[in-house]
């Protein structure tokens, strides 16, 4: 029987997949991830315009709930960079109480998404749309950090992107050189320390080293303590004063938080699935994210979702069950209770340096450039979403981006309808019964676009690894968008890890141009691309014969 809500922890326990050895590895992974999450939780809170303990509270409470009730084995939840600009905007417009109400409503939306089984639909968001607003968010986060990086003490920084940068240029004479060198040193340590070891994050070393130097040398620079005071070592339970007449004001921000949180958490879960060879439960994951966002604000937390970087860190350090995520939260709780007072020594310019690195890492500039080389329609979606995110508002960017992507898809489908039957290149070989068992055939029929790309990609990854050679027939694919290219490349890389050779046959000229620009042909090699299925099959048989001789 399929359940809408069944946490992975329960399944693993029922199937006796949790033993002493697994628990030991998970505890160690959780400790490492807790240390990684410490500077990020504080930095994301400060960048969002709230006090630093709110980031820690979110990582502790929401992180624990997401791991305990989630549909992924290794998901790590907490505050993320994606929420910075939306939280900042809500706090600026409606205050902390408005943020609290918006987050709770977002949690209710996420629970509803999961109960309505919309988890699979959120994964069909077009790739250019995701890259557009992710890159836009990264640029905005970077821009927000410039004030603390320059050590500007003025509180009148404009919220608009262009006005903000004009403000910075006007205040160049007011730059605090101490803050500037602290930011640069932090960036160097954060980026460079990974060359020494990847076990301990450079951001954690940067915070300890820089804070110690600033405190011992009594360097004059703004710190968490001088701006926010000491981080409290306790939790408070608060109830928001809900005005039902004004509840509609928070619908837009709440829906943005829910969509953004849902998309990011499911993307993170998909990435982690590929790393550990597992499958997450998308609807269960959405419900757990929703519960976390309903509960956390009552204790002073901010929006939370699955964090891709922390989840990857968890996997790389041996985490394989939700126990690691729960240990990560407990680790942060202990740090907050016993060492929180020392966080007051952290310079704001140090946090700015860490977040600038985070902004660069989440910018997805390589994907951005790749999409710009693709189809005209994908470029429109990408640039529209990007500029609306930066210059207008994230809520508007997501709404317009989804509508635009849908309209362009309808336009593409109308164009596809113009193809006549005699234009389709039908191969003479249709019976697969005589093909060697080691050779797999996968035929894609219809548009390889954002609505079908995920499903095709998952089928390819699950079935392609069973063979020595996999031929992907694309004779009936009239077009492929950048989401399709992205998922196809991801599937091919996954298949190639098992030393399976991937071949393509029957590609239409227009589709071929997109595959070339997207780097698919570079990934498999031009010698693995064939005009028709017969040529591909002859090559596959040759490969199979060579393997037989080798053995």
């Amino acid at each position: 029987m399929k359940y809408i809500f069944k946490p992975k922890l329960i399944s693993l326990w029922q199937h006796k997949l949790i033993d002493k050895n697994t628990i030991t590895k998970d505890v160690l992974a959780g400790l490492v991830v807790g240390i990684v999450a410490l500077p990020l939780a504080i930095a994301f809170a400060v960048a969002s315009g709230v006090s630093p303990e709110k980031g820690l509270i979110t990582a502790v409470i929401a992180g624990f709930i997401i791991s305990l009730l989630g549909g992924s084995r290794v998901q790590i939840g907490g505050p993320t960079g994606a929420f910075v600009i939306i939280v900042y905007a809500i706090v600026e417009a409606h205050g902390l109480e408005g943020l609290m109400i918006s987050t709770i409503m977002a949690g209710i939306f996420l629970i509803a998404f999961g109960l309505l089984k919309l988890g699979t639909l959120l994964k069909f968001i077009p790739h250019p749309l995701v890259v557009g607003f992710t890159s836009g968010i990264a640029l905005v986060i970077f821009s927000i950090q410039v004030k603390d990086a320059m050590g500007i003490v003025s509180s009148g920084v404009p919220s608009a992107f262009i006005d903000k940068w004009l403000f910075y240029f006007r205040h160049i004479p007011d730059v605090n050189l101490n803050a500037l060198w602290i930011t640069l040193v932090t960036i160097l340590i954060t980026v460079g320390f990974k060359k020494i070891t990847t076990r301990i994050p450079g951001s954690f070393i940067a915070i300890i080293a820089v804070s110690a130097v600033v405190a011992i040398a009594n360097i004059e620079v703004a710190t968490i303590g001088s701006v926010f005071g000491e981080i409290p070592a306790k939790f408070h339970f608060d109830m928001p004063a809900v005005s039902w007449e004004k509840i509609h004001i928070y619908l837009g921000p709440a829906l943005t938080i829910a969509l953004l949180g849902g998309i990011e958490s499911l993307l993170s879960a998909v990435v982690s699935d590929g790393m550990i060879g597992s499958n997450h439960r998308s609807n269960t994951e959405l419900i757990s994210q929703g519960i976390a966002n309903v509960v956390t604000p009552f204790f002073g937390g901010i929006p939370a979702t699955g964090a891709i970087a922390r989840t990857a860190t968890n996997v790389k350090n041996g985490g394989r069950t939700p126990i690691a995520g729960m240990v990560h939260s407990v680790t942060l709780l202990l740090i907050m209770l016993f060492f929180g007072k020392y966080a007051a020594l952290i310079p704001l310019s140090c946090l700015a340096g860490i977040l600038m690195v985070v902004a660069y890492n989440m910018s997805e500039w390589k994907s951005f450039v790749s999409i710009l080389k693709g189809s005209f329609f994908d470029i429109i979606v990408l640039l529209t979403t990007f500029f609306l995110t930066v210059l207008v508002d994230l809520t508007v960017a997501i709404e317009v981006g989804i509508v635009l992507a849908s309209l362009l898809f309808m336009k593409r489908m109308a164009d596809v309808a113009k193809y006549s039957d005699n234009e389709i290149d039908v191969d003479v070989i249709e019976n697969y019964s005589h093909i060697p068992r080691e050779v797999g055939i996968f035929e894609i029929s219809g548009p390889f676009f954002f609505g079908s790309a995920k499903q095709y990609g998952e089928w390819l990854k699950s079935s392609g690894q069973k063979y020595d050679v996999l031929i992907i027939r694309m004779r009936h694919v009239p077009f492929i968008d950048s989401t399709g290219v992205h998922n196809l490349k991801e599937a091919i890389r996954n298949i190639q890890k098992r030393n399976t050779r991937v071949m393509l046959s029957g590609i239409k000229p227009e589709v071929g141009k997109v595959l070339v620009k997207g780097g698919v042909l570079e990934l498999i090699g031009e010698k693995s691309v064939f005009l028709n299925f017969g040529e591909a099959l002859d090559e596959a048989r040759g490969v199979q014969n060579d393997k037989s001789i080798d053995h």
Side-chain angles (χ1 to χ4, degrees), residues 46 68 88 114 117 142 147 183 188 200 234 246 261 348 352 372 386 394 399 413 429 473 484 530 547:
V46 173
L68 177 67
Y88 191 90
K117 299 182 180 180
F142 183 90
K147 173 182 177 290
T183 302
L188 290 173
I200 303 174
K234 54 185 177 182
K246 296 181 179 179
L348 294 183
L372 287 177
F386 174 77
L394 183 60
E399 292 170 351
M413 292 305 293
I429 303 173
R473 302 187 71 180
F530 301 89
K547 286 195 174 185

Side-chain angles (χ1 to χ4, degrees), residues 49-73:
V50 299
S51 52
E53 80 275 4
K54 293 187 181 299
L56 289 173
I57 289 169
T58 306
V60 170
I61 298 177
F64 192 89
I65 293 173
I66 288 169
S67 293
L68 177 67
L69 303 177
S72 169
R73 292 180 61 158

Side-chain angles (χ1 to χ4, degrees), residues 318-366:
R320 290 298 180 272
T321 77
I323 292 173
M326 294 157 70
V327 170
H328 133 269
S329 295
V330 173
T331 302
L332 283 170
L333 175 62
L334 294 174
I335 292 173
M336 181 178 175
L337 294 177
F338 297 105
F339 301 100
K341 59 183 179 181
Y342 297 111
L345 302 174
I346 301 173
L348 294 183
S349 49
C350 179
L351 295 180
I354 290 171
L355 283 171
M356 283 179 169
V357 175
V358 169
Y360 174 80
N361 290 335
M362 74 179 291
S363 66
E364 295 200 51
W365 66 270
K366 290 182 180 178

Side-chain angles (χ1 to χ4, degrees), residues 177-400:
L177 293 179
N178 289 332
L180 201 56
W181 74 253
I182 286 172
T183 302
L184 293 174
V185 168
T186 300
I187 292 173
L188 290 173
I189 295 174
T190 302
V191 174
F193 197 76
K194 65 178 66 173
K195 294 180 180 179
I196 300 173
T197 178
T198 55
R199 289 284 180 181
I200 303 174
S203 57
F204 182 74
I205 299 300
I207 275 188
I208 292 177
V210 171
S211 300
V213 170
V214 168
I216 294 170
N218 197 25
I219 296 172
E220 189 177 337
V221 69
T223 64
I224 285 178
S226 67
V227 176
F228 298 101
E230 192 171 295
I231 292 180
K234 54 185 177 182
F235 292 76
H236 291 286
F237 183 87
D238 293 312
M239 288 290 292
V242 181
S243 173
W244 295 106
E245 293 80 14
K246 296 181 179 179
I247 203 75
H248 65 280
I249 296 173
Y250 307 113
L251 283 173
L255 191 57
T256 301
I257 293 172
L259 286 172
L260 199 58
I263 293 168
E264 187 170 9
S265 66
L266 294 182
L267 283 175
S268 176
V270 168
V271 170
S272 64
D273 283 348
M275 295 176 76
I276 64 173
S278 178
N279 288 304
H280 73 282
R281 295 173 183 145
S282 55
N283 295 312
T284 296
E285 186 64 25
L286 288 179
I287 293 171
S288 72
Q289 300 277 344
I291 294 171
N293 280 288
V294 168
V295 173
T296 307
F298 289 105
F299 296 91
I302 58 178
T305 185
I308 296 176
R310 274 160 276 172
T311 299
T313 302
N314 179 33
V315 173
K316 290 174 183 177
N317 282 277
R320 290 298 180 272
T321 77
I323 292 173
M326 294 157 70
V327 170
H328 133 269
S329 295
V330 173
T331 302
L332 283 170
L333 175 62
L334 294 174
I335 292 173
M336 181 178 175
L337 294 177
F338 297 105
F339 301 100
K341 59 183 179 181
Y342 297 111
L345 302 174
I346 301 173
L348 294 183
S349 49
C350 179
L351 295 180
I354 290 171
L355 283 171
M356 283 179 169
V357 175
V358 169
Y360 174 80
N361 290 335
M362 74 179 291
S363 66
E364 295 200 51
W365 66 270
K366 290 182 180 178
S367 296
F368 196 99
V369 172
S370 176
I371 294 170
L372 287 177
K373 297 177 181 177
S375 76
F376 175 71
F377 299 119
D378 290 331
I379 293 171
I380 290 176
V381 174
L382 174 75
L383 294 180
T384 300
T385 311
F386 174 77
F387 284 115
L388 284 176
T389 300
V390 173
L391 301 175
V392 184
D393 179 68
L394 183 60
T395 305
V396 174
I398 291 177
E399 292 170 351
V400 172

Side-chain angles (χ1 to χ4, degrees), residues 25-95:
K25 289 180 179 179
D26 284 338
V27 168
L28 293 174
L31 289 170
V32 173
V33 178
I35 293 171
V36 172
L38 175 66
L40 295 177
I42 294 173
F44 288 141
V46 173
S48 300
V50 299
S51 52
E53 80 275 4
K54 293 187 181 299
L56 289 173
I57 289 169
T58 306
V60 170
I61 298 177
F64 192 89
I65 293 173
I66 288 169
S67 293
L68 177 67
L69 303 177
S72 169
R73 292 180 61 158
V74 292
Q75 182 88 281
I76 301 294
T80 67
F83 284 135
V84 166
I85 59 173
I86 186 65
V87 171
Y88 191 90
I90 294 172
V91 171
E92 200 171 54
H94 308 293

